[in-house]
Amino acid sequence: MRTRTPFTRTVVLVAVSLLGAAGCAGNDTSDGGGADAAPRTVKPVAGCGTGSWTDPADLAPARKPARCDKGAPAARPLAKKRKIILATGTLSAEYVAPLQVAVAKGEFAKEGLDVQLKVLPTPDALPLLAKGDVDAQWAAPEVAVMNGINGGFDIKWVAGNFSPDPTSKSGLWVRLKDGESADHVDMAGRKLGTMIGKGSVIAYPMDTSLKKHGGGLDKISFQQLGSADVLTALQNGGVDSAWLLDPIWRKVDGDKKYAFLGGQPLGEPLGGLLFGPTLLNKDPDAGVAFLRAYIRTVNTYFAGDYKSDPAFVTELAGLMKTDEATLRSTPSMRMDWEIRKGTTDRVQKAYADSGVSSGTPVPEEKAVDRAMYGEAVGHKP
């Protein structure tokens, strides 16, 4: 008899919650929403030219993220003010900073949106998104999300968040054995310490890095640890390898006892904004307004190397409640609202490889919607 791990039980419970919520909300087609709604009119947007959209199939590591002019797209306030509750797992991570800046700078308010950021773990937030108790979620197409979509719930990934700077070494680190080097490491049979379970999108780049070194998610063991324990376990031998996030990897960078094996793919966001039925179907005008404010915030404050501005770094550190020197110690992220073609296929392949999912994968068209951010920048498919 197969024994379920704590992570597997969590995935099952979240999936059941999502399916139950889908049963309650799936028949709500009020306000003219849903798949049969008339196509929305897409008009050119001042300040958002050809560079405001890139080919989703372009997976080149050096791909430049889409950009509009500073201050674009301009706000188009809703006729009636709308309250939006957005769930996020944290407010201290840098990839959440555009949302905090959008609130602080009044970018959402310009659209007639009263946006409240609510900290909730992903497993707790997903059922609430399904029921409409929260309007959106800053997360990723994790295994629980894909299971919910597979069960018939209308939830889609509608915007990306970031990809790493080429100089970042956030990712898979290993303690080298005698005779090993970064170019020659045998990962099969090693124990990996991580805050993230196999059902996270990080399974995709992790699997890629492991396979380059004779491993794979099916050939290693996992030990889930708290954020403060991952580095300690790697340094004291409790685990052989670890997925180290910004800025933790700085603690081992340059130490010849450790090697960096790879991180998130360059140019490919793995998370961002999820919309449920409220913003997808019942009130898409508010959904597009939200994306317009988010995109404008990226273009205005995060278009390039935003950490080159000392005053802005000080402001960010205050919003994130983090140490300013720590924030400066890592390169600027490449904030990116677009979603690459095939990302959901690749993450689901990693889930299958790790044994946390089975059955028919969710096709991209059921999991991803690029039309809303396309409308926000005036792009017609």
Side-chain angles (χ1 to χ4, degrees), residues 30-31 42 48 63 71-72 77 108-109 132 141 146 159 163 171 207-208 210 226 243 251-252 293 313 335 358 361 376:
S30 60
D31 296 324
V42 179
C48 293
R63 175 187 67 87
F108 288 127
M146 306 311 284
S163 63
D207 199 27
T208 300
L210 288 169
W243 191 269
K251 300 289 186 179
V252 294
V313 173
M335 301 303 183
S358 60

CSV table of all heavy atoms in Angstrom, one decimal, residues 30-31 42 48 63 71-72 77 108-109 132 141 146 159 163 171 207-208 210 226 243 251-252 293 313 335 358 361 376:
chain,number,residue,atom,x,y,z
A,30,SER,N,-23.6,35.0,-15.0
A,30,SER,CA,-24.3,36.4,-15.0
A,30,SER,C,-23.3,37.4,-15.6
A,30,SER,O,-22.1,37.2,-15.8
A,30,SER,CB,-24.6,36.8,-13.6
A,30,SER,OG,-23.5,36.8,-12.8
A,31,ASP,N,-23.9,38.6,-15.9
A,31,ASP,CA,-23.1,39.7,-16.4
A,31,ASP,C,-22.5,39.5,-17.8
A,31,ASP,O,-21.6,40.1,-18.2
A,31,ASP,CB,-22.0,40.2,-15.5
A,31,ASP,CG,-22.6,40.7,-14.2
A,31,ASP,OD1,-23.7,41.3,-14.2
A,31,ASP,OD2,-22.0,40.4,-13.1
A,42,VAL,N,-10.5,45.8,-29.0
A,42,VAL,CA,-9.1,46.1,-28.7
A,42,VAL,C,-8.7,47.3,-29.5
A,42,VAL,O,-8.7,47.3,-30.8
A,42,VAL,CB,-8.1,44.9,-28.9
A,42,VAL,CG1,-6.7,45.3,-28.6
A,42,VAL,CG2,-8.6,43.7,-28.1
A,48,CYS,N,2.3,52.5,-26.2
A,48,CYS,CA,2.5,51.0,-26.3
A,48,CYS,C,2.6,50.6,-27.7
A,48,CYS,O,1.6,50.4,-28.4
A,48,CYS,CB,1.4,50.3,-25.5
A,48,CYS,SG,1.3,50.5,-23.8
A,63,ARG,N,15.9,37.4,-24.7
A,63,ARG,CA,14.7,38.2,-25.1
A,63,ARG,C,14.5,39.4,-24.2
A,63,ARG,O,14.5,39.3,-23.0
A,63,ARG,CB,13.5,37.2,-25.0
A,63,ARG,CG,12.2,37.9,-25.4
A,63,ARG,CD,11.0,37.0,-25.1
A,63,ARG,NE,10.8,36.7,-23.7
A,63,ARG,CZ,10.1,37.4,-22.9
A,63,ARG,NH1,9.5,38.5,-23.2
A,63,ARG,NH2,10.0,37.0,-21.6
A,71,GLY,N,4.8,55.6,-17.9
A,71,GLY,CA,3.5,56.1,-17.7
A,71,GLY,C,2.4,55.5,-18.5
A,71,GLY,O,1.2,55.9,-18.4
A,72,ALA,N,2.7,54.6,-19.4
A,72,ALA,CA,1.8,53.9,-20.3
A,72,ALA,C,1.6,52.5,-19.8
A,72,ALA,O,2.5,51.9,-19.3
A,72,ALA,CB,2.2,54.0,-21.7
A,77,PRO,N,-10.3,55.2,-16.0
A,77,PRO,CA,-11.0,54.9,-14.8
A,77,PRO,C,-12.4,54.2,-15.1
A,77,PRO,O,-13.1,54.6,-16.0
A,77,PRO,CB,-11.2,56.3,-14.2
A,77,PRO,CG,-10.1,57.1,-14.7
A,77,PRO,CD,-9.9,56.6,-16.1
A,108,PHE,N,-3.4,51.8,-9.0
A,108,PHE,CA,-4.7,51.1,-9.0
A,108,PHE,C,-5.8,52.1,-8.8
A,108,PHE,O,-6.8,52.0,-9.5
A,108,PHE,CB,-4.7,50.0,-7.9
A,108,PHE,CG,-3.9,48.8,-8.2
A,108,PHE,CD1,-2.9,48.4,-7.3
A,108,PHE,CD2,-4.0,48.1,-9.4
A,108,PHE,CE1,-2.2,47.3,-7.5
A,108,PHE,CE2,-3.2,47.0,-9.7
A,108,PHE,CZ,-2.3,46.6,-8.7
A,109,ALA,N,-5.6,53.1,-7.9
A,109,ALA,CA,-6.6,54.1,-7.6
A,109,ALA,C,-7.0,54.9,-8.9
A,109,ALA,O,-8.1,55.3,-9.1
A,109,ALA,CB,-6.2,55.0,-6.5
A,132,GLY,N,-14.9,33.0,-5.2
A,132,GLY,CA,-15.0,34.4,-5.4
A,132,GLY,C,-14.9,35.2,-4.2
A,132,GLY,O,-15.1,36.4,-4.2
A,141,PRO,N,1.2,28.6,-11.7
A,141,PRO,CA,0.4,27.4,-12.1
A,141,PRO,C,0.9,26.2,-11.4
A,141,PRO,O,1.4,25.2,-12.1
A,141,PRO,CB,0.6,27.4,-13.6
A,141,PRO,CG,1.9,28.0,-13.9
A,141,PRO,CD,2.0,29.1,-12.8
A,146,MET,N,-3.5,23.5,-11.3
A,146,MET,CA,-3.8,22.7,-12.5
A,146,MET,C,-4.8,21.6,-12.2
A,146,MET,O,-5.7,21.3,-13.1
A,146,MET,CB,-2.5,22.1,-13.1
A,146,MET,CG,-1.4,23.1,-13.3
A,146,MET,SD,-1.9,24.6,-14.2
A,146,MET,CE,-2.0,23.9,-15.9
A,159,ALA,N,-1.1,36.9,-16.3
A,159,ALA,CA,0.0,37.8,-16.4
A,159,ALA,C,1.2,37.2,-15.7
A,159,ALA,O,1.1,36.5,-14.7
A,159,ALA,CB,-0.3,39.2,-15.9
A,163,SER,N,11.5,37.3,-14.7
A,163,SER,CA,12.6,36.3,-14.9
A,163,SER,C,13.8,36.8,-14.3
A,163,SER,O,14.0,38.0,-14.1
A,163,SER,CB,12.7,36.0,-16.4
A,163,SER,OG,13.1,37.1,-17.1
A,171,GLY,N,18.9,29.5,-7.2
A,171,GLY,CA,18.6,28.2,-7.8
A,171,GLY,C,19.3,27.0,-7.0
A,171,GLY,O,19.4,27.0,-5.8
A,207,ASP,N,14.2,20.2,-12.2
A,207,ASP,CA,14.3,18.9,-12.9
A,207,ASP,C,15.3,19.1,-14.1
A,207,ASP,O,16.2,18.2,-14.3
A,207,ASP,CB,13.0,18.5,-13.5
A,207,ASP,CG,12.9,17.0,-13.9
A,207,ASP,OD1,13.6,16.2,-13.3
A,207,ASP,OD2,12.1,16.7,-14.7
A,208,THR,N,15.3,20.2,-14.7
A,208,THR,CA,16.2,20.5,-15.8
A,208,THR,C,17.6,20.5,-15.4
A,208,THR,O,18.5,19.8,-16.0
A,208,THR,CB,15.9,21.8,-16.5
A,208,THR,OG1,14.5,21.8,-17.0
A,208,THR,CG2,16.8,22.1,-17.6
A,210,LEU,N,18.9,19.1,-12.6
A,210,LEU,CA,19.2,17.8,-12.1
A,210,LEU,C,19.6,16.8,-13.2
A,210,LEU,O,20.6,16.1,-13.1
A,210,LEU,CB,18.1,17.2,-11.2
A,210,LEU,CG,17.9,17.8,-9.9
A,210,LEU,CD1,16.5,17.4,-9.3
A,210,LEU,CD2,19.0,17.5,-8.9
A,226,GLY,N,12.3,25.0,6.6
A,226,GLY,CA,11.9,26.4,6.7
A,226,GLY,C,12.9,27.3,6.1
A,226,GLY,O,14.1,26.9,5.8
A,243,TRP,N,17.9,24.4,-2.9
A,243,TRP,CA,17.5,25.4,-3.8
A,243,TRP,C,17.5,26.7,-2.9
A,243,TRP,O,16.7,26.9,-2.0
A,243,TRP,CB,16.0,25.1,-4.2
A,243,TRP,CG,15.6,26.0,-5.4
A,243,TRP,CD1,15.0,27.2,-5.2
A,243,TRP,CD2,15.8,25.8,-6.8
A,243,TRP,NE1,14.7,27.8,-6.5
A,243,TRP,CE2,15.3,27.0,-7.4
A,243,TRP,CE3,16.4,24.8,-7.5
A,243,TRP,CZ2,15.3,27.1,-8.8
A,243,TRP,CZ3,16.4,25.0,-8.9
A,243,TRP,CH2,15.9,26.1,-9.5
A,251,LYS,N,25.6,33.7,0.4
A,251,LYS,CA,26.4,33.2,1.5
A,251,LYS,C,27.4,32.1,1.1
A,251,LYS,O,28.3,31.9,1.8
A,251,LYS,CB,25.4,32.6,2.6
A,251,LYS,CG,24.4,33.6,3.2
A,251,LYS,CD,25.1,34.6,4.1
A,251,LYS,CE,24.1,35.5,4.7
A,251,LYS,NZ,24.7,36.5,5.7
A,252,VAL,N,27.1,31.5,0.0
A,252,VAL,CA,28.0,30.4,-0.5
A,252,VAL,C,28.7,30.7,-1.8
A,252,VAL,O,29.6,30.0,-2.3
A,252,VAL,CB,27.2,29.0,-0.6
A,252,VAL,CG1,26.8,28.6,0.7
A,252,VAL,CG2,26.1,29.2,-1.6
A,293,ALA,N,-3.0,48.9,-14.7
A,293,ALA,CA,-2.3,49.5,-13.6
A,293,ALA,C,-1.0,48.8,-13.3
A,293,ALA,O,0.1,49.4,-13.1
A,293,ALA,CB,-3.1,49.6,-12.4
A,313,VAL,N,15.5,52.2,-4.2
A,313,VAL,CA,15.8,51.1,-3.4
A,313,VAL,C,15.4,51.3,-2.0
A,313,VAL,O,14.9,50.4,-1.3
A,313,VAL,CB,17.3,50.7,-3.5
A,313,VAL,CG1,17.7,49.6,-2.6
A,313,VAL,CG2,17.6,50.3,-4.9
A,335,MET,N,11.3,42.3,-14.5
A,335,MET,CA,9.9,42.3,-14.4
A,335,MET,C,9.2,42.1,-15.7
A,335,MET,O,9.6,42.8,-16.7
A,335,MET,CB,9.3,43.5,-13.7
A,335,MET,CG,9.9,43.8,-12.3
A,335,MET,SD,9.6,42.3,-11.2
A,335,MET,CE,10.4,43.0,-9.6
A,358,SER,N,-0.9,13.0,-12.1
A,358,SER,CA,-1.1,11.9,-13.1
A,358,SER,C,-2.3,12.3,-13.9
A,358,SER,O,-3.1,13.2,-13.5
A,358,SER,CB,-1.2,10.5,-12.4
A,358,SER,OG,-2.3,10.5,-11.6
A,361,PRO,N,-2.8,16.1,-18.9
A,361,PRO,CA,-2.4,17.4,-18.6
A,361,PRO,C,-3.4,18.4,-19.0
A,361,PRO,O,-4.1,18.2,-20.0
A,361,PRO,CB,-1.0,17.6,-19.3
A,361,PRO,CG,-0.6,16.2,-19.6
A,361,PRO,CD,-1.9,15.4,-19.8
A,376,ALA,N,-4.8,45.4,-22.7
A,376,ALA,CA,-4.3,46.6,-21.9
A,376,ALA,C,-3.3,47.4,-22.6
A,376,ALA,O,-3.1,48.6,-22.4
A,376,ALA,CB,-3.8,46.0,-20.6
